Amino acid sequence: MTFVFKSGARYRMPVVFGPAPGPRQHPEGRMWTREEAGTMSAEWMKVAYRTDAAKLGALLPPGFSLRGDPIVSVSCAWFKNLYWLAGRGYGILAVDFPVTYQGKTERHDGAFCPVLWEGQPEAITTGREELGFSKLYADFTEIVRDKERGSAACQASWFGHTFFEIELNEMVEEVAPDRKLPGSGGGAQLYYKYMPSTSPGGCDGADLAYVTTAAPLPGTAVRAQNINFDEFEFRKWNAKGSLRWTRATFEQMPLSFHVVNGMSDLPILEFVDAEMVAFSGPGIGISMNGMRAIEPA
């Protein structure tokens, strides 16, 4: 008797050992309950800057166009006490900027995320395969806070090469903050999922290439299950901030130096925004479980 797929369960390679545990599936092959997910916490820093529109537009996949000013938002965060990692956590570095996407039947104004780094391989595997996020690995320092100075800082590196640094200063807490993550703001979060076809020479294109999003289908009133902060304790600080991308050589980052250098090649013309949020609440509340594909044009 050969391996049999179970209907209604999520799988990842290697599939022959059964349904895959992760943030969207309990080891028993079902969704996690609120009680099992417990309480998680996070700190999330963001700095946004104006860049060259032509160079930013060169990072867009088919069907995309820039929307509004060429503002790049870069976030560095730490998630802690995650239920699906048995209480462990990891750092995140994410990039996005405002775009419009036109698919075959759908048009969305939102933000495109060309790349994000994470400090946990399991988070990368599940996010790439299940959500279509362009995730890469990096080592992260903990976010260092100096409450007296009103500052915070974080770094990302790979095998000792620090390729990203971010710092906030003059942090001032808001009295009644809105409950949302820092980013480009407004509209759908959009990602580009690409899986190459396995072929001699590896040049036969993709098995799949399409945009993914958690935005609802046009004409539907019900939003797919997504990040929900309604029950979270939420704090926010406005600040002044800066960041730096440090170019890498092949020897320093063999498989991703071109990505770091692509970000470094975007000129920082002006820092336009900086903020930090801290939140804690039901762990299940941050599980992206409503991602779907948009049919390409």
Side-chain angles (χ1 to χ4, degrees):
M1 180 178 178
T2 59
F3 170 79
V4 177
F5 285 94
K6 295 180 181 179
S7 176
R10 287 181 179 269
Y11 287 85
R12 293 188 306 273
M13 292 189 292
V15 300
V16 297
F17 296 97
R24 287 157 289 280
Q25 186 161 265
H26 188 277
E28 295 177 358
R30 56 174 173 80
M31 188 61 187
W32 295 84
T33 67
R34 177 190 173 102
E35 291 71 27
E36 291 168 336
T39 300
M40 63 81 61
S41 62
E43 292 182 317
W44 194 297
M45 308 165 60
K46 183 202 82 170
V47 171
Y49 57 91
R50 188 182 311 278
T51 190
D52 179 88
K55 290 185 176 181
L56 187 61
L59 299 181
L60 292 173
F64 283 89
S65 59
L66 292 179
R67 178 175 59 88
D69 293 335
I71 304 297
V72 180
S73 294
V74 184
S75 302
C76 193
W78 262 94
F79 283 3
K80 297 181 179 181
N81 194 34
L82 298 176
Y83 61 95
W84 65 276
L85 287 175
R88 299 171 179 84
Y90 57 90
I92 300 174
L93 169 60
V95 177
D96 67 24
F97 52 90
V99 296
T100 295
Y101 177 69
Q102 179 63 64
K104 184 175 182 179
T105 60
E106 298 181 42
R107 178 185 173 91
H108 291 279
D109 290 333
F112 172 58
C113 175
V115 62
L116 56 94
W117 287 265
E118 293 183 328
Q120 190 70 31
E122 288 78 3
I124 297 168
T125 300
T126 60
R128 286 175 70 99
E129 296 187 18
E130 297 175 11
L131 307 178
F133 290 10
S134 296
K135 294 188 175 186
L136 297 172
Y137 179 80
D139 294 309
F140 289 83
T141 63
E142 291 265 2
I143 293 178
V144 178
R145 294 278 307 275
D146 187 328
K147 295 182 180 180
E148 290 186 3
R149 292 181 57 241
S151 66
C154 188
Q155 298 179 348
S157 63
W158 191 89
F159 274 77
H161 175 68
T162 299
F163 66 88
F164 176 79
E165 299 167 85
I166 186 172
E167 183 175 2
L168 301 184
N169 290 289
E170 300 182 31
M171 298 170 60
V172 178
E173 186 169 5
E174 287 192 5
V175 176
D178 50 9
R179 294 172 178 267
K180 65 179 183 180
L181 293 179
S184 294
Q189 284 293 122
L190 301 163
Y191 307 85
Y192 191 68
K193 184 174 184 178
Y194 180 97
M195 294 294 174
S197 177
T198 301
S199 60
C203 299
D204 285 356
D207 281 340
L208 56 88
Y210 53 69
V211 174
T212 68
T213 187
L217 284 165
T220 61
V222 179
R223 184 178 180 83
Q225 183 183 348
N226 196 5
I227 294 178
N228 182 357
F229 288 118
D230 291 344
E231 300 178 58
F232 278 69
E233 295 182 9
F234 209 92
R235 300 176 68 185
K236 177 180 178 180
W237 294 262
N238 295 312
K240 293 183 178 179
S242 62
L243 59 81
R244 180 172 67 178
W245 299 97
T246 299
R247 293 179 62 83
T249 64
F250 168 79
E251 289 75 17
Q252 291 168 326
M253 301 182 70
L255 301 189
S256 56
F257 73 95
H258 64 300
V259 180
V260 170
N261 292 349
M263 290 305 307
S264 181
D265 287 344
L266 295 175
I268 298 176
L269 304 179
E270 175 191 14
F271 290 114
V272 298
D273 186 31
E275 61 184 275
M276 180 172 181
V277 299
F279 55 90
S280 62
I284 201 71
I286 63 162
S287 289
M288 299 284 289
N289 202 31
M291 297 296 292
R292 63 180 181 84
I294 300 176
E295 189 174 1

